[in-house]
Amino acid sequence: MTATIPSATDPRWSKLILGQLQPDFLGARVLVGRLTASYSMDPTPATMTACCLELHGFYTKLAHLPKIQAEIAKLFP
Amino acid sequence: MNKLFDIESASKIISSGQQILFIAGSRQALSRLPKGPWIGGTISYFTDPAGGTCDQEKVFIHALPEWIAPVPRIERLNLENVKEVYQRIPSNGFALTIIPAFSKLHTSFAVDAPSYPDFATAPLVGWISGVHLDDLGKAAPAVIDGSTGEFMESEGVIAYVTLPDGHYADLGIVNLFRQGKGPAIKFPDGGFSASKAVIDGIEVDFAAWCREQDIDVRLPLVADYGGAMINVSFQTISADHVDFYAPVFPGCAYHQADPIDDYPTEFAKHAPEGEIAFACNCILNYLYAELEGKVTAIHGPATFGEIAYQLLNQTLCYVRFQNLASGH
């Protein structure tokens, strides 16, 4: 079964950027690290939107991987 | 595989037509190997199954398993095409790269990789080649394309590997360091050196602060990347600035790591399960944890930098192959 990825505007993406949710997949973690640093440097809604969009694109691209499917199910129950 | 071989044995393996080999060794050792489907980098330190060792005569070999049938694409990596590195990795595959330490490519990749298009969306693993520590400043780290036998000191070498359907490459790291309880350290400017830092909200002369605190430079600065502990290792504390072995990034909050009591024992507790196809560990772990003669759970070269998506320090990185259907 393929997990459903929420839309890029889902507020839960921002929780990952703010450290309120944590991924397990190493690629997601290093990307979140970079995005969190970007948002810390420019904490505006526009930056958050861009960060969430990039993270959404990451999970969409890798959605076929079992680890990512499990992670999506865990992060977005 | 996944151990040191003398030149005669390594030459037989190369000549046997084995699937691509990733080889680490001293320049003189690598130069004695026959041409073939392999890439390599210079280093003289290894965590071998027999124990950590410095060896200028033997070479350490990792090989792709035979079930990976497609022949990998070997290319040079330079300041131009490195920007496309994540995009060039096969959609069902991974890439292994070796980059010479102290080269412009090393610096460029370290600083800019997180901003390259499609960063972290494809598995990129690898290491930074080095030299024997007695030769620091005298010999240049290099990489070699085994198909031509040519050494390169300013370019990297990369193997793009396509996996059979149903498999994927799983990258992982083992970093025993955790953020200590000391103050949060931020840097207004990124890069391999820092003169200023903001510590607990106050801008300070970072080199002076390090001296005042009498910090142990064997303990890296650690940032929390979404739950992954990412190190930046100290190189030197100069009069007016501090040099690192990896760049610091503005916006990241760093804490100096707590000490690790017994690296081999702690490492064994955190060693990944399953068959490891490739691994490398940091030469600083080799030196500071005094791994010479000690047996560790994962084996490979002890390198001047590790790559798992991005440049890492004082970290072991590894690749294992997993099945898409089962996830194992």
PDB file of all heavy atoms in Angstrom, chain B residues 196-214:
ATOM      1  N   LYS B 196      34.431  34.964  13.923  1.00  0.00           N
ATOM      2  CA  LYS B 196      33.383  35.392  14.853  1.00  0.00           C
ATOM      3  C   LYS B 196      32.371  34.271  15.061  1.00  0.00           C
ATOM      4  O   LYS B 196      32.101  33.487  14.151  1.00  0.00           O
ATOM      5  CB  LYS B 196      32.649  36.615  14.299  1.00  0.00           C
ATOM      6  CG  LYS B 196      33.527  37.843  14.082  1.00  0.00           C
ATOM      7  CD  LYS B 196      33.952  38.449  15.412  1.00  0.00           C
ATOM      8  CE  LYS B 196      34.808  39.700  15.196  1.00  0.00           C
ATOM      9  NZ  LYS B 196      35.446  40.140  16.452  1.00  0.00           N
ATOM     10  N   ALA B 197      31.801  34.240  16.225  1.00  0.00           N
ATOM     11  CA  ALA B 197      30.693  33.326  16.511  1.00  0.00           C
ATOM     12  C   ALA B 197      29.722  34.035  17.434  1.00  0.00           C
ATOM     13  O   ALA B 197      30.091  35.006  18.122  1.00  0.00           O
ATOM     14  CB  ALA B 197      31.209  32.044  17.162  1.00  0.00           C
ATOM     15  N   VAL B 198      28.506  33.571  17.427  1.00  0.00           N
ATOM     16  CA  VAL B 198      27.497  34.085  18.363  1.00  0.00           C
ATOM     17  C   VAL B 198      27.207  32.958  19.352  1.00  0.00           C
ATOM     18  O   VAL B 198      26.723  31.894  18.977  1.00  0.00           O
ATOM     19  CB  VAL B 198      26.223  34.520  17.623  1.00  0.00           C
ATOM     20  CG1 VAL B 198      25.165  34.971  18.625  1.00  0.00           C
ATOM     21  CG2 VAL B 198      26.546  35.639  16.634  1.00  0.00           C
ATOM     22  N   ILE B 199      27.590  33.207  20.595  1.00  0.00           N
ATOM     23  CA  ILE B 199      27.459  32.176  21.630  1.00  0.00           C
ATOM     24  C   ILE B 199      26.499  32.674  22.696  1.00  0.00           C
ATOM     25  O   ILE B 199      26.729  33.724  23.305  1.00  0.00           O
ATOM     26  CB  ILE B 199      28.842  31.832  22.224  1.00  0.00           C
ATOM     27  CG1 ILE B 199      29.740  31.264  21.110  1.00  0.00           C
ATOM     28  CG2 ILE B 199      28.695  30.832  23.377  1.00  0.00           C
ATOM     29  CD1 ILE B 199      31.131  30.910  21.527  1.00  0.00           C
ATOM     30  N   ASP B 200      25.439  31.934  22.878  1.00  0.00           N
ATOM     31  CA  ASP B 200      24.356  32.370  23.770  1.00  0.00           C
ATOM     32  C   ASP B 200      23.924  33.789  23.442  1.00  0.00           C
ATOM     33  O   ASP B 200      23.679  34.614  24.340  1.00  0.00           O
ATOM     34  CB  ASP B 200      24.795  32.262  25.242  1.00  0.00           C
ATOM     35  CG  ASP B 200      24.776  30.815  25.720  1.00  0.00           C
ATOM     36  OD1 ASP B 200      24.098  29.979  25.086  1.00  0.00           O
ATOM     37  OD2 ASP B 200      25.448  30.523  26.730  1.00  0.00           O
ATOM     38  N   GLY B 201      23.864  34.096  22.162  1.00  0.00           N
ATOM     39  CA  GLY B 201      23.345  35.384  21.715  1.00  0.00           C
ATOM     40  C   GLY B 201      24.344  36.515  21.714  1.00  0.00           C
ATOM     41  O   GLY B 201      24.014  37.635  21.331  1.00  0.00           O
ATOM     42  N   ILE B 202      25.577  36.248  22.131  1.00  0.00           N
ATOM     43  CA  ILE B 202      26.583  37.316  22.194  1.00  0.00           C
ATOM     44  C   ILE B 202      27.696  37.024  21.189  1.00  0.00           C
ATOM     45  O   ILE B 202      28.246  35.923  21.171  1.00  0.00           O
ATOM     46  CB  ILE B 202      27.193  37.412  23.613  1.00  0.00           C
ATOM     47  CG1 ILE B 202      26.084  37.727  24.631  1.00  0.00           C
ATOM     48  CG2 ILE B 202      28.298  38.477  23.668  1.00  0.00           C
ATOM     49  CD1 ILE B 202      26.517  37.568  26.076  1.00  0.00           C
ATOM     50  N   GLU B 203      28.029  38.025  20.359  1.00  0.00           N
ATOM     51  CA  GLU B 203      29.098  37.819  19.373  1.00  0.00           C
ATOM     52  C   GLU B 203      30.446  37.821  20.067  1.00  0.00           C
ATOM     53  O   GLU B 203      30.734  38.711  20.874  1.00  0.00           O
ATOM     54  CB  GLU B 203      29.059  38.904  18.287  1.00  0.00           C
ATOM     55  CG  GLU B 203      30.094  38.645  17.184  1.00  0.00           C
ATOM     56  CD  GLU B 203      29.906  39.558  15.984  1.00  0.00           C
ATOM     57  OE1 GLU B 203      28.923  39.366  15.247  1.00  0.00           O
ATOM     58  OE2 GLU B 203      30.758  40.446  15.788  1.00  0.00           O
ATOM     59  N   VAL B 204      31.259  36.832  19.739  1.00  0.00           N
ATOM     60  CA  VAL B 204      32.568  36.699  20.393  1.00  0.00           C
ATOM     61  C   VAL B 204      33.644  36.442  19.342  1.00  0.00           C
ATOM     62  O   VAL B 204      33.359  36.033  18.215  1.00  0.00           O
ATOM     63  CB  VAL B 204      32.589  35.532  21.408  1.00  0.00           C
ATOM     64  CG1 VAL B 204      31.548  35.732  22.490  1.00  0.00           C
ATOM     65  CG2 VAL B 204      32.386  34.191  20.703  1.00  0.00           C
ATOM     66  N   ASP B 205      34.889  36.723  19.753  1.00  0.00           N
ATOM     67  CA  ASP B 205      36.066  36.303  18.985  1.00  0.00           C
ATOM     68  C   ASP B 205      36.180  34.792  19.221  1.00  0.00           C
ATOM     69  O   ASP B 205      36.526  34.365  20.335  1.00  0.00           O
ATOM     70  CB  ASP B 205      37.288  37.060  19.514  1.00  0.00           C
ATOM     71  CG  ASP B 205      38.592  36.626  18.848  1.00  0.00           C
ATOM     72  OD1 ASP B 205      38.703  35.437  18.461  1.00  0.00           O
ATOM     73  OD2 ASP B 205      39.489  37.464  18.747  1.00  0.00           O
ATOM     74  N   PHE B 206      35.891  33.996  18.197  1.00  0.00           N
ATOM     75  CA  PHE B 206      35.742  32.560  18.436  1.00  0.00           C
ATOM     76  C   PHE B 206      37.054  31.895  18.834  1.00  0.00           C
ATOM     77  O   PHE B 206      37.078  31.019  19.700  1.00  0.00           O
ATOM     78  CB  PHE B 206      35.142  31.881  17.201  1.00  0.00           C
ATOM     79  CG  PHE B 206      34.775  30.435  17.430  1.00  0.00           C
ATOM     80  CD1 PHE B 206      33.979  30.072  18.509  1.00  0.00           C
ATOM     81  CD2 PHE B 206      35.233  29.436  16.581  1.00  0.00           C
ATOM     82  CE1 PHE B 206      33.634  28.746  18.739  1.00  0.00           C
ATOM     83  CE2 PHE B 206      34.891  28.111  16.801  1.00  0.00           C
ATOM     84  CZ  PHE B 206      34.093  27.761  17.886  1.00  0.00           C
ATOM     85  N   ALA B 207      38.159  32.318  18.220  1.00  0.00           N
ATOM     86  CA  ALA B 207      39.459  31.723  18.578  1.00  0.00           C
ATOM     87  C   ALA B 207      39.796  32.031  20.041  1.00  0.00           C
ATOM     88  O   ALA B 207      40.248  31.148  20.782  1.00  0.00           O
ATOM     89  CB  ALA B 207      40.553  32.243  17.654  1.00  0.00           C
ATOM     90  N   ALA B 208      39.548  33.277  20.439  1.00  0.00           N
ATOM     91  CA  ALA B 208      39.821  33.658  21.839  1.00  0.00           C
ATOM     92  C   ALA B 208      38.913  32.877  22.779  1.00  0.00           C
ATOM     93  O   ALA B 208      39.360  32.406  23.838  1.00  0.00           O
ATOM     94  CB  ALA B 208      39.609  35.165  22.019  1.00  0.00           C
ATOM     95  N   TRP B 209      37.661  32.720  22.390  1.00  0.00           N
ATOM     96  CA  TRP B 209      36.709  31.964  23.233  1.00  0.00           C
ATOM     97  C   TRP B 209      37.166  30.518  23.392  1.00  0.00           C
ATOM     98  O   TRP B 209      37.123  29.957  24.487  1.00  0.00           O
ATOM     99  CB  TRP B 209      35.316  32.026  22.602  1.00  0.00           C
ATOM    100  CG  TRP B 209      34.260  31.338  23.422  1.00  0.00           C
ATOM    101  CD1 TRP B 209      33.531  31.874  24.448  1.00  0.00           C
ATOM    102  CD2 TRP B 209      33.825  29.969  23.289  1.00  0.00           C
ATOM    103  NE1 TRP B 209      32.668  30.926  24.960  1.00  0.00           N
ATOM    104  CE2 TRP B 209      32.824  29.754  24.270  1.00  0.00           C
ATOM    105  CE3 TRP B 209      34.168  28.917  22.449  1.00  0.00           C
ATOM    106  CZ2 TRP B 209      32.171  28.526  24.420  1.00  0.00           C
ATOM    107  CZ3 TRP B 209      33.529  27.695  22.600  1.00  0.00           C
ATOM    108  CH2 TRP B 209      32.544  27.510  23.581  1.00  0.00           C
ATOM    109  N   CYS B 210      37.630  29.929  22.295  1.00  0.00           N
ATOM    110  CA  CYS B 210      38.097  28.528  22.366  1.00  0.00           C
ATOM    111  C   CYS B 210      39.278  28.398  23.320  1.00  0.00           C
ATOM    112  O   CYS B 210      39.372  27.428  24.086  1.00  0.00           O
ATOM    113  CB  CYS B 210      38.494  28.034  20.974  1.00  0.00           C
ATOM    114  SG  CYS B 210      37.109  27.770  19.863  1.00  0.00           S
ATOM    115  N   ARG B 211      40.179  29.392  23.264  1.00  0.00           N
ATOM    116  CA  ARG B 211      41.332  29.335  24.162  1.00  0.00           C
ATOM    117  C   ARG B 211      40.896  29.524  25.622  1.00  0.00           C
ATOM    118  O   ARG B 211      41.369  28.816  26.521  1.00  0.00           O
ATOM    119  CB  ARG B 211      42.359  30.397  23.762  1.00  0.00           C
ATOM    120  CG  ARG B 211      43.203  30.008  22.542  1.00  0.00           C
ATOM    121  CD  ARG B 211      44.382  30.964  22.353  1.00  0.00           C
ATOM    122  NE  ARG B 211      43.930  32.299  21.981  1.00  0.00           N
ATOM    123  CZ  ARG B 211      43.680  32.674  20.732  1.00  0.00           C
ATOM    124  NH1 ARG B 211      43.866  31.837  19.731  1.00  0.00           N
ATOM    125  NH2 ARG B 211      43.276  33.894  20.472  1.00  0.00           N
ATOM    126  N   GLU B 212      39.999  30.479  25.834  1.00  0.00           N
ATOM    127  CA  GLU B 212      39.521  30.732  27.206  1.00  0.00           C
ATOM    128  C   GLU B 212      38.850  29.483  27.796  1.00  0.00           C
ATOM    129  O   GLU B 212      38.997  29.179  28.973  1.00  0.00           O
ATOM    130  CB  GLU B 212      38.525  31.893  27.211  1.00  0.00           C
ATOM    131  CG  GLU B 212      39.168  33.255  27.006  1.00  0.00           C
ATOM    132  CD  GLU B 212      38.134  34.306  26.600  1.00  0.00           C
ATOM    133  OE1 GLU B 212      36.916  34.039  26.697  1.00  0.00           O
ATOM    134  OE2 GLU B 212      38.561  35.382  26.157  1.00  0.00           O
ATOM    135  N   GLN B 213      38.113  28.802  26.941  1.00  0.00           N
ATOM    136  CA  GLN B 213      37.389  27.610  27.415  1.00  0.00           C
ATOM    137  C   GLN B 213      38.285  26.379  27.463  1.00  0.00           C
ATOM    138  O   GLN B 213      37.873  25.330  27.971  1.00  0.00           O
ATOM    139  CB  GLN B 213      36.195  27.321  26.486  1.00  0.00           C
ATOM    140  CG  GLN B 213      35.187  28.448  26.390  1.00  0.00           C
ATOM    141  CD  GLN B 213      34.476  28.710  27.705  1.00  0.00           C
ATOM    142  OE1 GLN B 213      34.086  27.778  28.391  1.00  0.00           O
ATOM    143  NE2 GLN B 213      34.336  29.973  28.077  1.00  0.00           N
ATOM    144  N   ASP B 214      39.501  26.523  26.899  1.00  0.00           N
ATOM    145  CA  ASP B 214      40.441  25.401  26.830  1.00  0.00           C
ATOM    146  C   ASP B 214      39.741  24.170  26.250  1.00  0.00           C
ATOM    147  O   ASP B 214      39.790  23.066  26.826  1.00  0.00           O
ATOM    148  CB  ASP B 214      41.003  25.091  28.229  1.00  0.00           C
ATOM    149  CG  ASP B 214      42.194  24.143  28.161  1.00  0.00           C
ATOM    150  OD1 ASP B 214      42.851  24.087  27.091  1.00  0.00           O
ATOM    151  OD2 ASP B 214      42.459  23.447  29.153  1.00  0.00           O
TER     152      ASP B 214
END
